[in-house]
Amino acid sequence: MIALVRTEFVKAFLRLRTLVISLLLIGLPTLIVVAIKTRGDRHERDGGEGLFRLAQQSGLLVPAAVLSVMSGFLLVVIAGTFAGDSVAGDASWGNLRYLLMRPVRRGRLLVAKAFVAGTMIWACTLLVTLVALIGGVALFGSHPVTVPASVSFTSGGISGFQLGTGALVVRLVIGAGYVAFGFTALLALGTFFSTLTDTAAGAIGATIGVYIVSQILDAISQLGQIRYVFPTHYLSSWTSMFTGNTYSQDMVAGIIVQLAYLAVFGTAAVVWFRRKDIRS
Amino acid sequence: MSDPIVAVEGLWKRFGDVSAVEDFSLTVERGQVCGLLGPNGAGKTTTLRVLMGLERPSRGVTRLFDTPVVPGSPVFARVGAMVEQAAFVPHLSGMRNLRLWWEAGGGRLQDADVDGALTVAGLGDAVHRKVRTYSQGMKQRLGFARLLLGRPELLVLDEPTNGLDPGEIREIRELIGRLTEHGATVLLSSHHLSEVEQTCSHVVVMDKGRLVTDGTVAELIGTTGSVYLEVDDRDRAHALVAALPSVAAVHVQGDGLVVELRDGQRSDLAAAVVGAGLRLETIMPTQRLEDAFLNLLDHGAPAETKAPEVAP
């Protein structure tokens, strides 16, 4: 199993795509941090978005602001790419059959591929967080933050509160972890789709497509409680740690939803892949 | 007799309502070079895919080294297989592809026959280039290197010379010969009949998913027992050969004779001619494998049968 994971990591790391993604995930957060700094005055006058406005007080909040914008689409696309490509990538090269004509159990190979894809997703989230943190602290320092009442409306009437440096760091770690964990459902879906097709682009597109549809449907409040099981419904719950001084119960619900998707689609992927005729 | 290296028993493979393989059986004994022949769509590749655990049989049993084939079986460590064209991770070098493929199976590279495999590949420094820069022939040679890493006892080759030039095809043929001299068993699917004729000791012919015939190459070619003979004195040879008990008939054809053998071997005929002091210039079957193959497909194809019900 360790050998499989190691070989899959080598294949993933030595790909030009991985380098491009890495550069993107360094460059874009840097650009956002610079934008927060240079456009800060205008945001202050306009009120600005909650986390972005707060980020001007402390560099420790900059990663949260950056994650809040990047986890909505770009990280979804990247995570969908890693997940959707996990099996279908090898299949599209015709290499999958050669892996499976070895004494390699299909279930183990699938788990190894999903593990590597998941690790890459976590690494991408961590990279964004670190780049934003370094840039943020360099430009804004690491001061405590005072959250004004206008930002803390979600906490139900609390008129404002202060987050010390230690609290910010803890919440940042939890927030980044929650964002990364929030892609668990996507990982499971992507891996499942990846076992269904020999076309990597198809699996990636289907994975990202499900997330886009989920986000669109989630915005329709008339759908009621069914939205609670959408994989994207609780994705931004973590921001209330910074704007509402509260660890939202929605985060717990979000973790449960992610685990449910992992259980259902992870199992489906293993069952399907073990029985599948490898035609590629 | 020892257990066969490859055993396929009553194999059926259906895709929906279409049967790709119907009640097909095959055995390959140790040391044999067995050619699997058939026209496009005969079910050759499907059979090899099932044999290598890539596809599940609808019915029937496949065994390698007397071990039932299941995906990921340890028995695959004893097999080197190339099913359809060789394929690799394109953004990695040939050498890294070999290393990762080997290590994915849990082996250490120092235990693999890397030097021997690289000699076979004959890629020189190109083995350190990314595979996406390779020609199809280079990929095919690297594919041979890959399957030889584990010093396999059995080679399963599906159209192994596709994409190779005549020189490379000859190299592969000689390689297979060397491997079999060292005890390897080979199951080779090909539609290059001359390649099979020169490489294989045994032949299995399939068509429309079913077994048409099997046997040695000599048996298959010799079904008409017809031999073309050229000697320095045709008339004397005519009289000599016609008197042999193993000869059914003799006809003049051009500068030579066409001899219809009853049950004798070509070697017996040649010995009789040479023993009579005649200079033997040419002796060859009037029918090549290609003729026998086409005759079999024209006349020997099995009748259509209804596929059995298969449990989902």
Side-chain angles (χ1 to χ4, degrees), chain A residues 29 32-41 43-44 47-69 132-148 151 163 168 172 238-239 242-243:
Chain A
I32 294 172
V33 173
V34 172
I36 293 172
K37 179 68 176 176
T38 56
R39 304 288 289 172
D41 291 343
H43 273 282
E44 272 190 16
E49 292 297 323
L51 279 173
F52 277 82
R53 202 172 106 201
L54 290 173
Q56 294 163 51
Q57 294 184 37
S58 172
L60 295 174
L61 260 175
V62 169
V66 171
L67 279 175
S68 70
V69 290
L133 182 64
I134 292 168
V137 170
L139 293 180
F140 299 102
S142 54
H143 315 293
V145 172
T146 300
V147 182
V151 176
L163 291 171
L168 281 171
L172 178 59
W238 61 279
T239 56
F242 299 98
T243 58

Side-chain angles (χ1 to χ4, degrees), chain A residues 3-4 6-8 10-12 14-16 90 93-106 274-280, chain B residues 13 15 49 52-56 71-73 76-77 81-92 96 100-105 146:
Chain A
L4 275 177
R6 201 184 69 78
T7 56
E8 291 299 321
V10 172
K11 279 155 64 176
L14 294 181
R15 222 172 155 179
L16 178 63
D90 265 315
W93 296 324
N95 192 50
L96 183 61
R97 64 177 179 271
Y98 286 98
L99 281 175
L100 295 177
M101 288 192 293
R102 298 227 65 207
V104 173
R105 297 280 179 191
R106 290 191 185 186
R274 288 179 66 180
R275 297 182 58 84
K276 181 185 182 185
D277 282 345
I278 304 298
R279 304 289 299 169
S280 61
Chain B
K13 180 61 184 175
F15 299 102
R49 284 178 173 279
M52 291 308 299
L54 296 176
E55 296 185 9
R56 297 161 59 85
S73 169
F76 291 136
M82 190 189 297
V83 175
E84 296 185 296
Q85 291 186 330
F88 299 90
V89 181
H91 61 271
L92 300 180
R96 198 178 286 277
L100 290 184
W101 179 82
W102 179 256
E103 291 179 347
R146 176 169 59 188

Side-chain angles (χ1 to χ4, degrees), chain B residues 33-35 37 161 166 169-178 180-181 188 190 192-203 217-218 221 288-290:
Chain B
V33 182
C34 181
L37 286 179
T161 54
I169 290 173
R170 184 172 184 171
E171 282 177 25
I172 295 302
R173 195 165 57 231
E174 290 170 356
L175 169 68
I176 292 172
R178 287 198 301 276
T180 51
E181 282 172 13
L188 166 77
S190 178
H192 291 297
L193 299 173
S194 61
E195 175 184 306
V196 171
E197 191 172 353
Q198 294 175 67
T199 309
C200 299
S201 58
H202 290 71
V203 176
V217 173
I221 293 174
R288 309 299 301 175
L289 183 59
E290 182 176 281

Side-chain angles (χ1 to χ4, degrees), chain B residues 23 34 40 88 97 103 108-109 299 307:
Chain B
D23 195 22
C34 181
N40 287 336
F88 299 90
N97 264 285
E103 291 179 347
R108 299 180 309 165
L109 195 64
H299 307 298

Side-chain angles (χ1 to χ4, degrees), chain B residues 39 205-208 210-214 220 223 291-304:
Chain B
V205 180
M206 65 187 303
D207 187 27
K208 298 184 177 72
R210 307 203 71 195
L211 176 70
V212 176
T213 189
D214 60 0
L220 200 64
T223 49
D291 304 313
F293 175 72
L294 293 174
N295 277 336
L296 282 166
L297 294 190
D298 285 344
H299 307 298
E304 294 284 337

